[in-house]
Amino acid sequence: VDVQALEQQQQQQQQDVHTNKAHAASQNDSKASDRKVSFIVPSGVAGLIVGKKGVGIKKFKSLAGVKLSIPYGDSSEKDLSYRTVVMEGTSANIEQGITMLSETLSSWAEKDETAEYQGVAAWLQVLYDNLREEGSNMQQQPKTEKKQKDHTREKDAGGKEQQTLMAAGATRKGAVQVRQTLIIPLAGAGMIVGKQGKTIKMINTKTGANAALAKDPLESDKTRKELVIKGTRAQVLKAKDELLAVMLQWLRNAPDEPGGGPDATKQALMALIDEEEEQEIA
């Protein structure tokens, strides 16, 4: 028996065991560091993101290493002007995924006249403005640690990452805040607020915006009220769509209103609403 050969074989086996353990530990660390984030994007770009037979989603997986999906596209967001995009992966992979997504949005915007922004840099800012940290791993933290990280985590040296975790999302420092005012029929105001204010609170929590209905009707027209929405442009857009969806339900149950009834359309609803020009908040 070749003793030296046996010793070398044993050493190799031990080395293989350590290598396998290290690989397993690396995989566990990778899983632990995985994040889940979501964004809202214009509904018109959803098909381009998914691609024919899912080619677009596969491209995100192969090039950026992220799992991408649009889970609500056929249900709750069917009639809205936006779609929710969910992205899962490590922080580094998500950064790559966001860059890819901004490039996709930029390509779409070049051919779509309804696009609000142009260029990769502009879309990058939009995506970071409305990024929502789903972070299932955060829920597994010890309670004492979670309390410290629940709402705000900042790294200020040299302009490093800054995250403000909110009930409905995280916005980068310096994100443009805007104010959008809608003048709506008084008859539909009750449905927007909901019982004990639950509906409007739910929309604010879901979108990260701050929508509020004026206490009193307009002085100039007692049949109408002011609805004000504040937040980033992305948050305001999402909140407005959610609020209009609620109001459309009201109109479909209000046959006596102009354009009302079971077949009421969004166009009929918008004919009843005055939309003031968006204003930036200093």
Side-chain angles (χ1 to χ4, degrees):
V1 178
D2 190 337
V3 177
Q4 186 175 2
L6 284 175
E7 289 179 348
Q8 288 178 348
Q9 186 178 4
Q10 289 175 348
Q11 288 176 357
Q12 184 61 46
Q13 288 175 345
Q14 290 176 348
Q15 185 176 352
D16 289 343
V17 169
H18 288 305
T19 300
N20 290 335
K21 286 183 178 179
H23 179 66
S26 176
Q27 286 186 321
N28 290 335
D29 288 344
S30 177
K31 289 179 180 179
S33 64
D34 274 2
R35 294 167 59 200
K36 184 176 182 181
V37 299
S38 62
F39 318 86
I40 57 171
V41 300
S43 58
V45 77
L48 186 60
I49 292 171
V50 175
K52 190 175 182 180
K53 296 183 179 180
V55 169
I57 287 178
K58 292 175 183 176
K59 188 176 179 182
F60 274 89
K61 180 66 175 177
S62 62
L63 297 182
V66 293
K67 179 182 177 182
L68 187 139
S69 60
I70 305 181
Y72 314 119
D74 296 324
S75 54
S76 64
E77 296 175 356
K78 184 177 179 181
D79 298 321
L80 303 183
S81 63
Y82 67 86
R83 294 290 183 270
T84 299
V85 174
V86 176
M87 195 179 289
E88 298 179 60
T90 65
S91 294
N93 289 342
I94 283 176
E95 290 291 330
Q96 294 179 45
I98 291 173
T99 299
M100 280 187 63
L101 185 55
S102 67
E103 291 169 352
T104 303
L105 285 160
S106 180
S107 297
W108 163 79
E110 290 176 0
K111 303 174 184 177
D112 195 306
E113 295 180 355
T114 66
E116 226 178 317
Y117 306 95
Q118 295 288 338
V120 174
W123 282 110
L124 268 175
Q125 184 63 53
V126 171
L127 291 175
Y128 278 114
D129 281 352
N130 79 81
L131 181 149
R132 173 175 177 170
E133 187 81 39
E134 303 289 344
S136 58
N137 287 334
M138 290 176 59
Q139 298 173 1
Q140 299 171 5
Q141 295 173 346
K143 291 183 178 180
T144 53
E145 183 181 354
K146 186 176 183 297
K147 286 180 181 178
Q148 296 172 357
K149 296 183 179 180
D150 232 356
H151 299 294
T152 305
R153 182 174 77 245
E154 292 189 358
K155 297 177 184 178
D156 52 10
K160 291 185 179 179
E161 178 185 26
Q162 181 266 345
Q163 289 185 322
T164 304
L165 302 182
M166 304 163 59
T171 58
R172 278 193 170 189
K173 192 173 182 179
V176 176
Q177 299 286 310
V178 299
R179 169 192 171 109
Q180 176 78 68
T181 302
L182 306 177
I183 308 301
I184 67 170
L186 180 63
M191 193 160 183
I192 282 180
V193 175
K195 189 175 181 181
Q196 296 180 335
K198 287 184 179 180
T199 301
I200 199 166
K201 287 177 183 176
M202 179 193 70
I203 290 173
N204 285 341
T205 299
K206 181 178 179 180
T207 65
N210 180 14
L213 194 65
K215 183 178 180 181
D216 300 314
L218 296 176
E219 286 290 333
S220 57
D221 187 348
K222 299 296 183 181
T223 67
R224 299 170 73 74
K225 262 192 174 186
E226 188 177 77
L227 174 63
V228 178
I229 314 169
K230 297 178 183 178
T232 65
R233 283 193 174 91
Q235 289 170 340
V236 168
L237 172 65
K238 189 169 185 178
K240 183 170 73 172
D241 277 338
E242 294 278 353
L243 291 162
L244 291 177
V246 172
M247 287 205 68
L248 186 55
Q249 293 178 22
W250 158 74
L251 189 60
R252 287 172 177 168
N253 289 302
D256 295 333
E257 295 290 333
D263 298 323
T265 63
K266 188 174 181 180
Q267 184 177 3
L269 174 65
M270 295 310 296
L272 303 176
I273 295 173
D274 293 326
E275 188 172 352
E276 295 184 2
E277 189 174 345
E278 176 190 280
Q279 296 178 334
E280 288 191 9
I281 303 173

